[in-house]
Amino acid sequence: TRKITRGVAAIHLGFQECLYLGNLDARRDWGHAADYVEGMWQILQHSKPDDFVLATGESHSVRDFVDLAFNHVDRSIDWRGVGLDTIGVDTATGRTCVRIDPRYFRPTEVHELVGDASRAKQMLGWTPKHSFPDLVDDMMKADLYTLTHSSRNEPRYSVDSV
């Protein structure tokens, strides 16, 4: 997740040419840290110890995440190709900004992960307040700020080196 927003910010600022990812179709239940911290606090305030799942209950693909991240910097991605040959092309410039690298596929990839927080909602009154676009927006703002304000004498962070 952070790899995507750092990569898109670096591409936007001219520090990086392309973002290399694995399975674009993997779906995850991404939520905002602020919501989870609030949920953990509510769990600690509960009258007796118990188990709770904190989740948004929504799943979004890696591709959805990439699209929102590029939209944050006013870029639109046109997805071309299939499978390992999939590329993401910036519609304004025609440059390839996203490529698939098989090294980033997980050997035991789960296609979809989505949580059920109905118990936390029922017993604690917890529900996430931040939407998926809010999450991507906040992460992009943070990474654009970090990359913009890093010292010119420091080596630049490269997602490709991870």
Side-chain angles (χ1 to χ4, degrees):
T1 307
R2 179 59 75 196
K3 175 182 180 177
I4 295 169
T5 57
R6 282 182 180 153
V8 171
I11 290 167
H12 176 69
L13 295 170
F15 301 142
Q16 185 173 320
E17 292 290 320
C18 190
L19 174 61
Y20 293 89
L21 297 170
N23 184 0
L24 294 173
D25 298 319
R27 300 184 65 82
R28 298 294 179 258
D29 185 339
W30 280 298
H32 201 288
D35 290 331
Y36 294 135
V37 169
E38 182 181 329
M40 289 183 279
W41 182 84
Q42 288 178 350
I43 290 169
L44 291 170
Q45 305 314 305
H46 191 57
S47 58
K48 65 176 188 158
D50 213 337
D51 292 327
F52 295 95
V53 172
L54 301 177
T56 68
E58 300 175 5
S59 76
H60 301 275
S61 70
V62 172
R63 188 185 314 255
D64 295 337
F65 199 109
V66 171
D67 284 334
L68 281 176
F70 274 105
N71 286 341
H72 182 88
V73 292
D74 297 321
R75 292 182 185 218
S76 181
I77 296 298
D78 179 31
W79 296 102
R80 301 176 186 171
V82 179
L84 294 175
D85 295 324
T86 301
I87 58 171
V89 177
D90 184 324
T91 58
T93 65
R95 296 174 86 178
T96 299
C97 294
V98 182
R99 291 188 181 278
I100 303 303
D101 187 332
R103 292 179 300 169
Y104 297 118
F105 278 80
R106 295 177 177 164
T108 56
E109 180 76 66
V110 176
H111 178 69
E112 183 170 25
L113 294 174
V114 62
D116 177 4
S118 58
R119 192 159 187 265
K121 181 178 182 177
Q122 177 188 21
M123 295 180 71
L124 305 173
W126 180 85
T127 56
K129 293 176 178 59
H130 297 83
S131 68
F132 177 62
D134 290 342
L135 169 69
V136 178
D137 187 59
D138 285 352
M139 291 177 70
M140 282 301 302
K141 286 177 186 172
D143 287 329
L144 285 165
Y145 179 87
T146 299
L147 284 173
T148 303
H149 291 85
S150 63
S151 168
R152 296 209 182 266
N153 296 326
E154 293 178 19
R156 299 274 182 209
Y157 178 85
S158 172
V159 177
D160 295 333
S161 65
V162 175

